[in-house]
């Protein structure tokens, strides 16, 4: 039920890899009053090509500006929820300020081979911990930094980008960010070698406001019902698990084994309770602990927790199924290439993740764009930006002379070359190029451009090319088929033990904007595909979670009952029928 929602609103923030989305949700109806999306172009240049880092403070500043504007327009705001890209980490000092870039989930430092050894940093940590920690996971990145002396000397904590932004929204003054001291009694023993860079340890101080600590697991386990704190460093169970080194049985970081690996566990934030408030924006609006974008997208896309298969295609891609919380599921799912992610108190997600997803299709678009530039080298920029270009001679254009061909040849002009509105038309023309092809004759494409969770060195491949199917249309179809096949294969590995699916729901722009991919997914999963009527599902789910944390909804399903759906190919809004 709804607790006096009236005209109150909730704000949902989704900090994605390429964009930041913020929306305002009407609590009593689920209507989106306003939605904003801005580019997350905060990338920090690294020395190595595999580094993928962003500027945490610039991200915070952009979020703060948008939230402040929306709060002033849509008062009263009952709660704020935050969704963020998972797995990544940043380091903060004793005042809670960032002292490093944000190392995103795409950062491949954990997948680098250890000098003089035959394993990567992620593989070494997985072996020593006895738990899978893939490249891109926070603890794999931290382990690399630790072993290579890259942890800033002033670092005292690690945080997700969502938790960092949330804590900054709730305060920001140095005096409001007390940090707990070390815990020598946690069983870490002496710190030597490069780990000594963390400095001397000392007992936890009672002035930190973190309360009594009894034993190692008490320090890192869930503490539901605790009063809001901005200084203790809080993290949702789902985001904690995304770093690796998480014990599903204890619902806490595996502190003992992490210590044995040389990782100082006092850097780890405490696990927050379900729907916990971490502080208040402008001293009055509750802010919920940040949740992962996968969990937020699930909450903002499905009508209930079980019986739904959610396929999300954005920069990455995931297939998710809700399942009851059982620790033994984690090991079983890992064998099938999937993983278990905490979501709510009584709900976990079975998740299979593709590292490329929609990015694979974007890479294909970039490839065609380069072909267009090769065909129109003289004034390619104008051609790609929709300006009129003068016709040239095809042979000269293709041989690299400084001429521009507006009509390289009739077929190429019609389907691919030099579209008038490059950002939209090239994708549109890629879709048109598929018309009339025979799907059975398409080449087989494996879109693993960035490897996989289990094998970071795996690469994309294409096979089955013939003189008949080596065309743009067949390559486009083969890529989309490959994206869908990767997700379905992951789903097949998680089916045992999961509830029988009742419906298939799609989210993310990769699905919303691509009717061909939607059709392929329906064929793969043998179910009709539904799409939420609202866009920005992760921001929507974050808003629902924020309202739930603030007590506006007594349970999350009350909020989810407001979601309306569209039958993907009918384009007609309907109530979903189970």
């Amino acid at each position: 039920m709804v607790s006096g929602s009236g005209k109150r609103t909730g704000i949902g923030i989704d900090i994605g890899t390429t964009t930041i989305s913020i929306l305002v949700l009407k609590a009593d109806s689920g209507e989106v009053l306003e939605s904003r999306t801005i580019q997350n172009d905060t990338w920090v240049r690294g020395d190595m090509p595999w580094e993928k880092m962003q500027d945490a403070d610039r991200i915070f500043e952009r979020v703060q500006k948008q939230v402040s504007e929306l709060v002033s327009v849509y008062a009263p705001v009952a709660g704020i929820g935050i969704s963020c890209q998972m797995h990544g980490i940043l380091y903060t000092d004793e005042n809670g300020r960032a002292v490093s870039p944000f190392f995103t989930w795409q950062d491949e430092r954990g997948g680098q081979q250890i000098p003089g050894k035959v394993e990567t940093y992620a593989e070494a940590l997985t072996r020593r911990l006895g738990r899978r920690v893939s490249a891109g996971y926070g603890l794999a990145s931290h382990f690399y930094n630790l072993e290579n002396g890259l942890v800033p000397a002033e670092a005292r904590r690690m945080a997700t980008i969502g938790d960092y932004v949330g804590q900054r929204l709730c305060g920001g003054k140095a005096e409001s960010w007390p940090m707990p001291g070390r815990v020598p009694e946690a069983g870490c023993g002496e710190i030597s070698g490069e780990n000594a860079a963390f400095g001397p340890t000392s007992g936890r101080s009672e002035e930190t406001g973190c309360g009594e600590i009894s034993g190692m697991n008490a320090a890192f386990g869930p503490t539901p019902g605790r009063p809001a704190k901005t200084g203790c460093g809080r993290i949702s169970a789902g985001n904690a698990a995304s770093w690796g080194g998480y014990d599903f049985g204890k619902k806490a970081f595996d502190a003992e084994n992490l210590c044995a690996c040389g990782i100082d566990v006092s850097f780890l934030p405490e696990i927050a309770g379900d729907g916990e408030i971490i502080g208040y924006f402008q001293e009055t609006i509750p802010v919920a602990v940040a949740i992962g974008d996968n969990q937020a997208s699930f909450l903002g896309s499905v009508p209930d927790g079980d019986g739904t298969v959610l396929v999300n295609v954005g920069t990455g891609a995931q297939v998710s199924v809700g399942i009851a919380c059982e620790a033994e599921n984690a090991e079983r799912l890992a064998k099938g290439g999937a993983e278990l992610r905490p979501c709510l108190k009584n709900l976990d997600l079975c998740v299979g993740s593709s590292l490329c997803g929609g990015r694979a299709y974007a890479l294909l678009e970039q490839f065609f764009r380069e072909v267009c530039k090769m065909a129109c080298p003289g004034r390619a920029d104008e051609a790609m930006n929709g300006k009129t270009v003068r016709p040239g001679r095809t042979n000269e254009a293709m041989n690299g002379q400084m001429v521009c061909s507006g009509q390289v040849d009739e077929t190429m002009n019609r389907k691919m070359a030099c579209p008038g509105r490059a950002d939209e038309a090239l994708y549109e023309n890629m879709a048109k190029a598929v018309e009339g092809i025979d799907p059975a004759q398409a080449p087989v494409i494996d879109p693993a451009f960035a490897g996989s969770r289990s094998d970071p060195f795996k690469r994309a491949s294409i096979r089955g090319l013939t003189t008949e199917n080596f065309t743009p249309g067949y390559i486009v179809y083969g890529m989309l088929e490959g994206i869908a096949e990767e997700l379905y294969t992951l789903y097949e590995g998680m089916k045992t033990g999961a509830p029988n699916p009742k419906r298939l729901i799609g989210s993310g722009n990769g699905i919303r904007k691509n009717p061909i991919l939607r059709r392929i997914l329906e064929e793969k999963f043998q179910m009709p595909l539904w799409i939420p009527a609202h866009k920005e599902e992760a921001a929507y789910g974050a808003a629902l979670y924020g309202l739930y944390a603030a007590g506006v909804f007594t349970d999350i399903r009350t909020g989810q009952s407001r979601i309306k759906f569209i039958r993907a190919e009918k384009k007609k809004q309907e109530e979903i029928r189970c």
Side-chain angles (χ1 to χ4, degrees):
M1 61 177 291
V2 182
S3 178
S5 60
K7 295 183 178 179
R8 287 189 293 176
T9 59
I11 290 179
I13 303 164
D14 176 40
I15 306 170
T17 310
T18 57
T19 60
I20 298 170
S21 297
I22 305 173
L23 61 74
V24 183
L25 182 68
K26 194 174 180 182
D28 60 351
S29 66
E31 177 188 359
V32 176
L33 299 176
E34 184 174 347
S35 178
R36 300 180 179 183
T37 297
I38 59 176
Q39 292 299 308
N40 186 5
D41 53 355
T42 61
W43 294 100
V44 175
R45 185 182 298 275
D47 295 327
M48 305 301 293
W50 40 258
E51 292 183 289
K52 299 293 186 294
M53 304 173 292
Q54 293 178 326
D55 188 320
D57 285 319
R58 287 176 62 199
I59 291 174
F60 163 68
E61 289 164 2
R62 294 182 182 194
V63 171
Q64 183 187 44
K65 179 179 183 295
Q66 298 298 322
V67 171
S68 297
E69 291 177 0
L70 291 171
V71 164
S72 67
V73 174
Y74 294 100
V77 176
I80 296 174
I82 301 173
S83 154
C84 64
Q85 48 180 299
M86 300 173 70
H87 307 295
I89 61 165
L90 62 105
Y91 298 102
T92 60
D93 63 15
E94 62 185 5
N95 296 315
R97 297 304 179 93
V99 293
S100 75
F102 170 56
F103 303 97
T104 75
W105 62 277
Q106 292 180 329
D107 193 280
E108 299 176 20
R109 66 192 58 226
Q112 303 309 302
Q113 188 168 326
I114 300 174
K117 297 187 178 181
V118 294
E119 60 183 355
T120 67
Y121 290 91
E123 290 169 342
L125 187 57
T126 296
R127 174 177 52 79
R128 293 167 63 179
L129 241 159
R131 302 179 187 278
R132 186 175 72 179
V133 184
S134 301
Y137 282 22
L139 286 180
S141 296
H142 176 56
F143 187 61
Y144 175 93
N145 291 341
L146 201 60
E147 293 292 306
N148 290 277
L150 298 177
V151 178
E154 61 271 39
R156 295 294 180 270
R157 283 274 194 189
M158 295 190 296
T160 69
I161 188 61
D163 292 313
Y164 181 69
V165 168
Q167 291 171 342
R168 290 289 306 274
L169 286 174
C170 293
K173 294 182 180 179
E175 59 266 28
S176 69
W177 293 78
M179 303 299 291
R182 311 281 177 208
V183 196
E185 56 271 18
C188 290
E190 296 290 328
I191 296 178
S192 59
E194 58 238 10
N195 296 334
F198 289 117
T201 62
S202 60
R204 285 190 184 266
S205 167
E206 292 194 358
E207 291 91 43
T208 63
C210 287
E212 297 279 335
I213 301 294
S214 78
M216 174 177 11
N217 293 329
F220 302 103
T223 50
R226 289 183 64 150
K229 293 182 175 66
T230 60
C232 291
R234 315 290 282 171
I235 187 172
S236 67
N239 275 330
S242 80
W243 282 357
Y246 183 81
D247 187 326
F248 281 87
K250 296 177 180 177
K251 299 186 183 300
F253 285 113
D254 186 359
E256 183 176 0
N257 286 319
L258 287 170
C259 285
C261 294
I263 292 176
D264 186 342
V265 293
S266 71
F267 269 58
L268 301 175
E270 295 183 24
I271 308 297
D274 192 21
E276 183 171 314
I277 298 298
I278 61 167
Y280 297 85
F281 180 65
Q282 295 179 350
E283 300 183 350
T284 59
I285 304 173
V287 178
V289 65
I291 59 176
D293 54 2
N294 182 204
Q295 288 88 340
S297 184
F298 191 87
L299 296 178
S301 301
V302 306
D304 53 49
D306 52 17
T308 297
V309 179
L310 174 67
V311 179
N312 176 275
V313 180
T315 304
Q318 304 88 27
V319 55
S320 307
V321 178
I323 192 170
C325 297
E326 296 177 6
E328 57 269 23
N329 286 330
E331 183 177 350
R332 176 181 60 78
L333 289 168
K335 293 178 181 178
E339 61 182 300
L340 192 66
R341 292 180 178 177
C343 184
L344 297 172
K345 184 178 180 180
N346 298 312
L347 178 70
D348 287 337
L349 300 183
C350 307
V351 182
S353 298
S354 163
L355 296 183
C356 255
R359 183 181 170 202
Y361 198 59
L363 286 171
L364 183 59
E365 188 266 358
Q366 291 173 22
F367 171 77
F368 287 135
R369 189 177 295 272
E370 290 299 316
V371 172
C372 290
K373 289 182 179 179
M374 185 172 65
C376 309
R379 299 172 64 186
D381 290 339
E382 290 186 3
M384 301 308 288
N385 287 322
K387 296 182 179 180
T388 302
V389 294
R390 60 184 176 87
R393 288 180 296 169
T394 300
N395 290 340
E396 291 183 356
M398 298 305 289
N399 286 327
Q401 297 185 28
M402 296 301 291
V403 298
C404 183
S405 175
Q407 298 175 329
V408 177
D409 72 23
E410 184 180 351
T411 302
M412 190 172 185
N413 183 62
R414 182 178 74 252
K415 293 188 175 180
M416 289 290 166
C418 303
R421 292 170 295 127
D423 292 341
E424 298 178 12
L426 188 49
Y427 279 115
E428 292 172 2
N429 288 338
M430 287 167 66
K432 290 177 182 178
V434 175
E435 295 175 1
I437 72 164
D438 179 3
Q441 303 302 317
V444 177
I445 298 178
D446 180 353
F449 292 96
S452 67
R453 290 287 185 211
S454 58
D455 183 5
F457 295 107
K458 182 181 180 182
R459 289 297 176 261
S461 63
I462 182 169
R463 57 188 173 86
L465 285 172
T466 68
T467 55
E468 287 75 29
N469 69 12
F470 189 36
T471 66
Y474 275 109
I475 297 298
V476 168
Y477 188 90
M479 183 67 76
L480 293 173
E481 172 79 16
I483 293 170
E485 178 63 25
E486 183 178 25
L487 290 169
Y488 186 74
T489 300
L490 288 166
Y491 171 67
E492 285 282 285
M494 68 172 70
K495 282 171 64 175
T496 304
N500 292 326
K502 293 183 289 187
R503 64 186 72 88
L504 176 66
I505 292 178
S507 66
N509 286 335
I511 289 178
R512 286 185 178 278
K513 296 183 177 181
N514 200 311
I516 302 166
L517 180 58
R518 295 198 297 268
R519 187 173 71 244
I520 293 173
L521 287 169
E522 288 192 329
E523 293 170 356
K524 290 282 183 189
F525 285 85
Q526 291 294 294
M527 286 186 282
L529 179 69
W530 296 81
I531 299 175
H534 59 267
K535 299 179 181 179
E536 304 303 341
E537 297 89 350
Y540 193 98
L544 291 181
Y545 191 78
L547 290 168
Y548 162 62
V552 175
F553 300 142
T554 55
D555 59 77
I556 196 68
R557 287 198 178 190
T558 301
Q560 290 175 298
S561 68
R562 286 150 174 71
I563 301 175
K564 296 179 175 61
F565 295 86
I566 298 171
R567 176 71 170 85
E569 299 311 314
K570 290 184 178 180
K571 299 298 183 184
K572 180 182 177 182
Q573 186 168 307
E574 304 177 24
E575 294 294 328
I576 193 165
R577 303 292 181 185
C578 299

